[in-house]
Amino acid sequence: GRFDMMKVWALTDPGLVRHQNQDAYGVETVEGRTVSVVCDGMGGPKNGDIASKIAVEAFLTAVRTHLRTDMTAEQIREMASYAVSVANMDIRAAVEEHPAYAGMGTTLVSAVSYGEGVVVSNVGDSRAYLINREGIQRISKDHSLVETLVERGEITAAEARVHPQRNYITRALGPEVSPLCDGFIVPVVPGDFILLCTDGLVSTVSDQEMQYEVLYGDDLDHCLERLLEISKRNGAADNVTAVLLQKQ
């Protein structure tokens, strides 16, 4: 019921450098729950956009098929993980059918609302954040080379942001038969925000700027546009995609 309701804003933009937008997103209400997914495709100029679109469509279709109103958060987490594996299989099937697509892949980060929160699923380096008066907290963990180096203490988080190999991801949909998907059950209260975004936003806008614009910016309906403006002021070398959800 209304308990699950999330207000949603979304935006995608090619940025200032890339001609093509290889990001994709989708938002739907399924069984009274808000379902959102963000993907950042890769694999040469022709194919990243195909991988991300396939993943968004496959994920949403699987959720439509399998989400039930009486599911617990844990069951939703398992269902979403299954939907991610369907997306992976659909990308691999497309590659088998069209050899020119070889090597294409995509990240995927998603959020499915349940009574007291959201279930976040993640493969790759697109991100999910929880934003509220307490601050901004990253929910997802990047599956990337630099994240591994940060975890090992070999580089700092600040160094990771400018590391020459910061775009190198260690897990994606497409290249592997069954990439591991992380799942997180995140309690939220009315007023809390969940932000899903691609690394094009993360690499050009700081966590503090995200938090400030979401909580204290002039007008929520233009919050994502303001974040995009900041990204462009900082060069926006990559596509920028964001979905902002607020618990009602």
Side-chain angles (χ1 to χ4, degrees):
R2 193 181 163 293
F3 206 40
D4 275 2
M5 286 301 293
M6 309 282 286
K7 199 167 178 196
V8 185
W9 300 266
L11 167 152
T12 187
D13 190 274
L16 296 175
V17 177
R18 305 270 171 96
H19 294 298
Q20 191 191 36
N21 191 347
Q22 298 199 334
D23 289 357
Y25 74 88
V27 180
E28 268 183 35
T29 305
V30 182
E31 296 282 341
R33 302 181 193 276
T34 304
V35 180
S36 51
V37 56
V38 166
C39 293
D40 177 356
M42 64 217 168
K46 291 190 295 291
N47 307 329
D49 63 319
I50 295 167
S52 60
K53 283 188 185 76
I54 290 173
V56 166
E57 193 44 53
F59 180 85
L60 290 174
T61 302
V63 171
R64 259 181 249 131
T65 310
H66 298 285
L67 186 60
R68 299 282 173 270
T69 39
D70 60 353
M71 280 181 166
T72 63
E74 183 53 47
Q75 287 170 324
I76 292 174
R77 194 169 69 106
E78 286 171 21
M79 183 277 307
S81 175
Y82 171 74
V84 171
S85 70
V86 171
N88 189 61
M89 288 188 285
D90 281 11
I91 292 168
R92 294 178 65 82
V95 171
E96 291 216 341
E97 214 173 306
H98 309 276
Y101 293 170
M104 76 175 177
T106 185
T107 69
L108 184 150
V109 66
S110 64
V112 180
S113 67
Y114 71 95
E116 294 83 42
V118 296
V119 173
V120 168
S121 307
N122 176 60
V123 177
D125 67 349
S126 293
R127 285 185 182 178
Y129 289 92
L130 171 65
I131 301 173
N132 56 28
R133 299 289 169 186
E134 270 87 77
I136 180 168
Q137 182 192 339
R138 179 160 38 126
I139 298 161
S140 57
K141 208 181 89 170
D142 292 353
H143 302 141
S144 66
L145 177 69
V146 292
E147 186 93 340
T148 308
L149 296 176
V150 170
E151 278 178 3
R152 287 192 200 147
E154 292 178 29
I155 61 172
T156 65
E159 287 167 334
R161 285 174 72 87
V162 294
H163 194 279
Q165 285 176 295
R166 64 186 174 277
N167 294 332
Y168 185 83
I169 62 175
T170 51
R171 237 189 270 179
L173 300 187
E176 297 171 60
V177 177
S178 52
L180 281 171
C181 167
D182 290 347
F184 307 89
I185 294 171
V186 186
V188 296
V189 298
D192 284 0
F193 293 90
I194 297 286
L195 176 67
L196 306 181
C197 60
T198 57
D199 67 330
L201 185 69
V202 171
S203 60
T204 49
V205 180
S206 71
D207 287 8
Q208 288 68 31
E209 287 169 315
M210 288 184 206
Q211 180 194 345
Y212 182 84
E213 288 303 336
V214 169
L215 291 180
Y216 309 108
D218 293 341
D219 162 19
L220 268 176
D221 288 337
H222 296 101
C223 172
L224 295 182
E225 282 82 357
R226 289 196 304 273
L227 289 176
L228 178 62
E229 274 169 34
I230 296 170
S231 180
K232 287 182 170 176
R233 280 208 300 274
N234 292 326
D238 198 356
N239 310 149
V240 174
T241 301
V243 174
L244 181 66
L245 308 150
Q246 187 184 30
K247 174 81 169 163
Q248 296 304 292

